[in-house]
Amino acid sequence: MNPTFSGELMHFLDTTGQQFLENLTELLGFLRDNFGNFLWRLLGVVFIFFCAGLVMKWISKFTAHTMEKNRAILSVDQSRRVDTLMTLIRSAARYLVYFVAFLLVLGQFGGGMVQNVLVAVGGIGGIAFGFGAQNLVKDVVTGLFMIFENQFSVGDYIQTEDAVGTVEATALRVTYLRSAKGDQIIIPNGSIDRVINYTRGSYIATIVVSTAYEADTRQVITVMEEALREYGEAHQDLIEEPPVVRGIDALGESTVDISVACKVKPMKQWEVERGMRLAIKEAFDRRGIEFPYPRMVTVPWADHLSPPPEPEKDDSPTLFGWDPAPAPEFEEGTLLDDSLEDSPLAGDDGDGDGDEDGGEDAGDEK
């Protein structure tokens, strides 16, 4: 090993070890001389957060008591407005209380450190807010406008672009919804562009009843009016105006569609629609009126069998203009005899006479 490199390495290790021991000794001496102060400040931090928790608990109880009190003396719309304001106050108080607690915790470590931290947070935080906190500012501003404009309140059933549910709470940055299945949906206020509030004002419950072409449409409408009149008299707590049969809404391919409308109280439209369908169904059953439905007719195939069709004659032109002649037809037993009549072996009956005749003919020729 190079002695120069070895010397430098040893000097580096000695210096590093000496500096580490000096700092460790200084830290231990600081803890020995200031451990009481450090423990006191730690207890102060715990006490600050404990007080912050008590303040938040008191604010929660105060807002809950205010909401319960106003529900008993105010109307439904006004009590929901108060609930919305109370949840907003609770959310704003949470941010304020914990921000003050954070400043008090920093104050436990000296005013100079607090000033340095605030300067650092102001410098770095300003850049961070300029680039990355645009959505946060948008959420807060949008939430304030939605609350002050009273677009919806706690307890309203609303629909946004991506969610449908009942408003549970509104905060400075987000809105809490509860869906019909029980799921909690948290929506940033800045992402809400359009709100449909199903709770405000009256609502029209509408249904369409499909009837058959074979039925007497005027009689069907009369039966529907009687059934809906009885339903309206039995459920006056749900409706504001009696149900009305509007008439034929459409003539379909196999159905006559009749529409019905009824002005109902808020959030009762689905219950009334289901009730009107049940009342009409029961009335149709009593009068023997059938609803149209697809029918299938089955025909036994064996009773309607027909002979197979005759094969079509092929009139296509022959190949190269040549039509082969049909094969000759022979009677049974004549094919072999007729083909051997002119053969030289026709006179050979198997006893050698043919050979002798042939030999005599050959001798005469000679």
Side-chain angles (χ1 to χ4, degrees), residues 78-331:
Q78 292 177 346
S79 63
R80 287 178 176 175
R81 178 65 173 169
V82 173
D83 293 348
T84 304
L85 294 177
M86 290 298 102
T87 55
L88 177 62
I89 291 174
R90 187 185 304 170
S91 175
R94 182 182 298 108
Y95 288 105
L96 179 61
V97 168
Y98 284 110
F99 179 74
V100 173
F102 177 72
L103 293 180
L104 293 177
V105 169
L106 292 179
Q108 293 295 317
F109 299 95
M113 179 176 291
V114 173
Q115 294 178 359
N116 295 333
V117 170
L118 291 178
V119 170
V121 170
I124 300 174
I127 299 175
F129 270 72
F131 288 97
Q134 298 179 4
N135 292 333
L136 176 62
V137 176
K138 181 181 178 181
D139 294 340
V140 174
V141 174
T142 305
L144 291 175
F145 275 105
M146 286 192 304
I147 293 172
F148 287 127
E149 293 174 358
N150 195 21
Q151 297 181 9
F152 54 84
S153 303
V154 174
D156 289 354
Y157 189 81
I158 66 172
Q159 175 181 354
T160 63
E161 289 81 1
D162 302 323
V164 180
T166 304
V167 180
E168 281 194 335
T170 55
L172 286 177
R173 196 182 68 84
V174 296
T175 298
Y176 298 90
L177 300 182
R178 181 73 64 177
S179 67
K181 298 180 180 179
D183 302 329
Q184 187 183 56
I185 306 173
I186 304 174
I187 307 174
N189 294 330
S191 64
I192 301 176
D193 296 329
R194 184 174 65 112
V195 177
I196 301 176
N197 196 329
Y198 294 99
T199 308
R200 304 289 175 84
S202 301
Y203 196 83
I204 304 298
T206 59
I207 62 173
V208 176
V209 180
S210 299
T211 61
Y213 277 100
E214 294 80 6
D216 187 353
T217 303
R218 294 186 180 276
Q219 180 185 2
V220 170
I221 293 177
T222 302
V223 173
M224 291 175 59
E225 289 176 346
E226 294 177 359
L228 294 174
R229 183 175 62 254
E230 294 176 359
Y231 175 80
E233 293 175 355
H235 298 84
Q236 295 182 0
D237 56 329
L238 301 178
I239 64 177
E240 294 185 354
E241 295 180 2
V244 177
V245 180
R246 291 178 175 177
I248 298 177
D249 189 66
L251 296 175
E253 295 182 357
S254 59
T255 60
V256 178
D257 298 333
I258 303 174
S259 63
V260 179
C262 179
K263 189 175 182 180
V264 301
K265 295 182 179 180
M267 299 298 296
K268 301 298 182 181
Q269 57 269 21
W270 300 288
E271 183 178 356
V272 172
E273 289 175 355
R274 291 189 291 266
M276 290 192 299
R277 292 191 185 100
L278 178 60
I280 293 174
K281 175 64 169 56
E282 292 176 347
F284 280 14
D285 293 341
R286 290 193 299 266
R287 299 297 182 91
I289 301 175
E290 294 184 356
F291 288 92
Y293 59 90
R295 293 176 172 84
M296 180 180 297
V297 178
T298 303
V299 179
W301 177 249
D303 297 342
H304 298 274
L305 288 177
S306 58
E310 293 288 341
E312 297 182 0
K313 185 178 181 180
D314 188 8
D315 297 333
S316 59
T318 58
L319 183 63
F320 303 113
W322 173 73
D323 189 6
E329 298 181 357
F330 302 97
E331 296 182 0

Side-chain angles (χ1 to χ4, degrees), residues 58-76:
W58 179 83
I59 293 175
S60 299
K61 289 184 178 180
F62 171 76
T63 54
H65 176 71
T66 304
M67 289 187 291
E68 292 178 0
K69 180 180 178 181
N70 288 318
R71 288 194 189 102
I73 61 177
L74 298 178
S75 62
V76 177

